[in-house]
């Protein structure tokens, strides 16, 4: 194993370790809660579903993200009040950092007169919630009942602004370079201890490029769904460069750099995204641990959250060429955050326009994430 590969694998706890339940270090310190009920109306970017009212109810709590308790319910009506679909189920995963949380679940009950040919019960779903208070909460989704892949603790950008009701997201807020601070009822430590602030703490498997911008109707934009999540009439932009240092004990104080430039033209789908990314990881004395770059292949921005995925095209270690990667960004008024997934074999796959809640706070630089 080369030094570069070892850096990619060990610069923080791997996603595989977290998903296997290796979370006792933060279990008592970082309670997570994502709860509330809110609804909205699908806009013109949702194509034939524009004007449809939808509503989401979530109650999820966890100290171990893979052992949560809770339930969810989703309702989608037509403007005349007729029911398109209504379903509910149990929460199977919950991850939150600051204002952004991802809830995974499995449908246990459904009625869907508007989609009678679709099997809902037993299928996985993912909901991404952005708690922005007076600025307006948002939500995004991925529906397994339309064949969209759902990876544990991952979701897409919160593309829909909710107009009534309220969601509360409570998770740890990592300070600059991972110095954790509490958020609401949440303690510190989840980002560093569970997901690693080092360059490559996130291991996830590769796989085919899945068209998964998510949705409860535009199948071309969403890969199948009851409503598109991204693309449409507006373009999306994610751009910036940030620097920080690893908090993983083996790579403590190692300098990290992330640069992402991505765009989707107005009227185009998320998987038409263009752009580039570049990631570096050095030792404090300047020795190289990892240096790779590549092309962006999918981008969705919802509110202050952007989800971009891509493929490594060049690397200091040729073995990394072809890996699929994910970058999740929170463009915050009081500080930006970034999360990442590397397409290493043997763990959860990286799907187009999906990722973790952004978990790492850099010490310099920033991101712009906008749905134009």
């Amino acid at each position: 194993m080369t030094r570069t590969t070892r850096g990619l694998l060990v610069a923080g706890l791997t996603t595989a370790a977290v998903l296997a339940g290796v979370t006792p270090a933060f279990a008592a310190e970082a309670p997570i809660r994502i709860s509330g009920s809110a609804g909205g109306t699908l806009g013109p970017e949702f194509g034939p579903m524009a004007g449809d009212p939808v509503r989401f109810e979530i109650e999820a709590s966890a100290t171990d993200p893979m052992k949560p308790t809770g339930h969810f319910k989703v309702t989608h009506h037509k403007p005349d009040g007729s029911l398109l679909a209504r379903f509910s189920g149990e929460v199977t995963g919950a991850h939150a950092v600051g204002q952004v949380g991802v809830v995974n679940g499995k449908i246990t009950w459904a009625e869907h007169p508007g989609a009678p040919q679709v099997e809902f019960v037993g299928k996985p779903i993912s909901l991404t919630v952005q708690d922005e208070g007076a600025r307006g909460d948002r939500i995004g989704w991925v529906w397994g009942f339309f064949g969209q892949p759902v990876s544990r603790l991952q979701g897409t950008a919160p593309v829909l602004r909710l107009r009534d009701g309220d969601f509360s997201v409570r998770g740890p807020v990592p300070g600059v370079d991972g110095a954790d601070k509490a958020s609401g009822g949440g303690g510190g430590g989840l980002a560093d201890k569970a997901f690693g602030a080092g360059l490559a703490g996130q291991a996830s498997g590769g796989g085919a490029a899945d068209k998964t911008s998510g949705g409860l109707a535009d199948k071309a934009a969403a890969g199948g769904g009851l409503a598109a999540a991204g693309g449409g009439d507006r373009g999306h932009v994610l751009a910036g460069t940030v620097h920080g240092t690893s908090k993983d004990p083996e790579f403590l104080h190692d300098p990290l750099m992330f640069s992402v430039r991505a765009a989707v033209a107005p009227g185009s789908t998320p998987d038409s995204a263009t752009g580039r990314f570049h990631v570096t990881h050095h030792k404090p004395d300047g020795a190289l641990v990892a240096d790779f770059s590549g092309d962006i292949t999918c981008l969705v921005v919802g509110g202050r959250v952007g989800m971009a995925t891509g493929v490594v095209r060049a690397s200091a270690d040729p073995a990394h060429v072809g890996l699929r990667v994910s970058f999740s960004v929170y463009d915050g008024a009081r500080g930006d955050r970034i999360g990442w997934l590397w397409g290493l074999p043997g763990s959860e796959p990286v799907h187009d326009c999906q990722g973790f809640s952004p978990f790492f706070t850099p010490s310099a630089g920033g991101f712009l994430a906008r749905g134009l």
Side-chain angles (χ1 to χ4, degrees), residues 42 46 49 54 76 141 143 146 213-218 222 224-230:
L42 302 180
F46 291 87
M49 297 296 167
V54 293
H76 183 160
W141 51 85
W143 301 141
F146 281 112
S213 57
L216 179 71
D218 185 345
L226 295 180

Side-chain angles (χ1 to χ4, degrees), residues 304-339:
R304 297 176 179 270
V305 178
M307 297 283 185
T309 47
V311 178
V312 174
R313 303 299 188 192
S315 174
D317 185 341
H320 301 148
V321 174
L323 292 180
R324 288 174 51 76
V325 300
S326 168
F327 302 97
S328 54
V329 168
Y330 177 74
D331 176 8
R334 299 181 180 178
D336 298 348
R337 297 196 302 275
I338 184 171

Side-chain angles (χ1 to χ4, degrees), residues 10-208:
V10 192
L13 291 179
T14 66
T15 301
V18 175
L19 296 177
V22 185
T23 56
F26 69 88
E29 301 177 35
I32 294 165
R33 186 177 183 189
I34 304 166
S35 62
S37 174
T41 301
L42 302 180
E45 65 271 26
F46 291 87
M49 297 296 167
D52 288 9
V54 293
R55 189 163 196 87
F56 302 83
E57 301 173 28
I58 302 172
E59 186 63 47
S61 58
T63 50
D64 179 338
M66 289 309 301
K67 297 179 180 179
T69 59
H71 53 85
F72 65 89
K73 183 178 181 180
V74 180
T75 306
H76 183 160
H77 285 92
K78 299 302 292 180
D80 64 5
S82 61
L83 179 66
L84 181 64
R86 176 164 48 220
F87 54 90
S88 60
E90 61 183 12
V91 171
T92 58
H95 172 227
V97 179
Q99 308 91 331
V100 182
V102 174
V103 172
N104 297 146
K106 183 174 72 172
I107 298 172
T108 58
W109 173 88
E111 56 177 333
H112 41 96
Q117 75 283 7
V118 178
E119 181 59 54
F120 281 67
V121 174
K123 301 300 183 180
I125 62 98
S126 175
L127 298 168
T128 304
V129 179
Q130 179 183 339
D131 176 6
E132 288 294 337
R135 287 188 289 267
D137 295 347
R138 304 182 69 96
I139 196 165
W141 51 85
V142 182
W143 301 141
F145 48 79
F146 281 112
Q148 297 174 278
V150 179
S151 284
R152 293 179 291 180
L153 304 185
Q154 297 180 45
T156 192
V159 294
L160 178 66
R161 183 172 180 180
L162 300 164
R163 300 296 181 180
D164 66 89
D166 181 62
F167 276 109
S168 173
V169 177
R170 293 293 181 266
V173 179
V176 173
D177 283 343
D180 297 311
K181 299 179 289 184
S183 169
L190 175 61
D192 286 341
K193 295 178 183 177
F195 293 96
L199 168 65
Q202 318 314 320
S204 37

Side-chain angles (χ1 to χ4, degrees), residues 256-302:
L256 314 174
M257 186 280 295
F258 302 85
S259 180
V260 182
R261 300 285 189 277
V264 173
S268 299
T269 59
D271 58 2
S272 68
T274 59
R276 297 280 297 171
F277 63 86
H278 186 197
V279 179
T280 64
H281 177 174
H282 290 85
K283 301 302 294 179
D285 63 5
L288 180 66
V289 177
D291 185 340
F292 57 91
S293 60
D295 297 325
I296 296 295
T297 58
C298 191
L299 171 67
V300 172
V301 177

